[in-house]
Amino acid sequence: MNAEQIIKYISEAEKKTKVKVYVRWRKGKGIWPESCKVFSGTDQIVIGDWKEIEPVLIEYADRIEDLEVECYCRNSGIPLLDIRETEARIEPGAIIREKVHIGRNAVIMMGAIINIGASVGDETMIDMGAVLGGRAIVGARCHIGAGAVLAGVIEPVSATPVIVEDDVVVGANAVLIEGVHIGKGAVIAAGSTVISDVPAGMVAAGVPARIIKAKDSITRNKTAIAQELRNI
């Protein structure tokens, strides 16, 4: 998706405040809108949009013995990606929004955040707490280190997304600003701030990052990915 398509999608999406409500009824039960998911028994669990659930709770307040409301978002225009059929390993606590591509045998670790329009290639690992902003593109067999940030560019629409080609290693807490292009097989050292392109097969480090050498056998051994982690 390009920036205009993403902006159109968000602006036209119905904004929802998704809640889960646990209700213990004193007598009878409330009548919920058909759009709500209701798990019935002596008590009820109801999942839906707050603007539809709240009127029912008010109307039948005298019948309610106890209730608890869990609120997940407010006026959200983008749901989370349905990951049930995704051929990847996605650990608990990862946040992946709709319209994201996750490649085969990719690994998304705890706390990773992947925004709308981003793409993760086959066998790529997005480590703990890493952030892929809107439209960020990461190729195959990459490792994006813990806490790294690939800047998002949904707005302004003229901005160019971050592009990381295949077989790239980005160290922990590195930051790649908008428009940066990282060539195939390059290495970005931990803690670096990358503000310009890094050619294929080069090692960049520092704030701002600069090319320090070509990738050699020592660097290659230190940054080799473990295929076993990508088996599902």
Side-chain angles (χ1 to χ4, degrees):
M1 299 177 75
N2 61 34
E4 290 87 350
Q5 290 171 324
I6 292 173
I7 290 170
K8 185 175 186 291
Y9 174 80
I10 295 172
S11 67
E12 294 180 354
E14 181 183 0
K15 306 304 186 289
K16 295 186 177 182
T17 301
K18 191 171 183 179
V19 297
K20 181 188 290 185
V21 179
Y22 303 84
V23 185
R24 178 171 299 142
W25 298 99
R26 183 180 294 109
K27 57 179 180 178
K29 291 180 180 179
I31 300 174
W32 304 100
E34 291 184 359
S35 59
C36 294
K37 295 181 180 179
V38 181
F39 301 85
S40 291
T42 305
D43 301 335
Q44 286 186 317
I45 300 175
V46 185
I47 299 172
D49 192 1
W50 180 240
K51 65 176 175 283
E52 296 180 332
I53 288 178
E54 184 183 28
V56 177
L57 297 177
I58 293 172
E59 181 178 355
Y60 298 101
D62 61 335
R63 300 185 184 182
I64 297 173
E65 178 180 326
D66 194 12
L67 69 89
E68 182 72 26
V69 178
E70 294 180 359
C71 185
Y72 299 101
C73 58
R74 178 62 176 165
N75 293 323
S76 176
I78 309 172
L80 297 181
L81 181 69
D82 184 348
I83 61 174
R84 289 176 294 179
E85 301 299 324
T86 303
E87 295 185 77
R89 176 160 67 89
I90 301 176
E91 296 295 347
I95 300 174
I96 307 171
R97 301 186 90 179
E98 198 174 61
K99 307 296 184 182
V100 164
H101 169 75
I102 304 294
R104 183 181 177 88
N105 290 85
V107 179
I108 314 298
M109 295 296 287
M110 300 83 72
I113 300 173
I114 306 178
N115 204 359
I116 185 170
S119 177
V120 176
D122 295 350
E123 301 182 357
T124 281
M125 178 181 287
I126 309 299
D127 216 332
M128 295 181 293
V131 176
L132 271 59
R135 298 171 60 210
I137 299 170
V138 180
R141 300 174 303 280
C142 295
H143 182 103
I144 306 301
V149 175
L150 278 57
V153 288
I154 296 173
E155 185 181 57
V157 296
S158 61
T160 303
V162 170
I163 298 175
V164 175
E165 294 190 17
D166 298 345
D167 304 306
V168 168
V169 173
V170 175
N173 296 314
V175 175
L176 281 58
I177 69 161
E178 66 180 51
V180 163
H181 189 132
I182 310 299
K184 179 180 173 64
V187 175
I188 307 301
S192 298
T193 298
V194 184
I195 63 174
S196 57
D197 295 350
V198 176
M202 294 295 171
V203 179
V207 182
R210 292 180 172 84
I211 307 301
I212 59 172
K213 64 177 182 178
K215 187 175 178 181
D216 54 22
S217 59
I218 296 175
T219 304
R220 193 171 291 108
N221 289 335
K222 286 184 176 180
T223 59
I225 67 170
Q227 187 60 46
E228 295 83 357
L229 296 176
R230 289 147 173 83
N231 296 333
I232 58 172

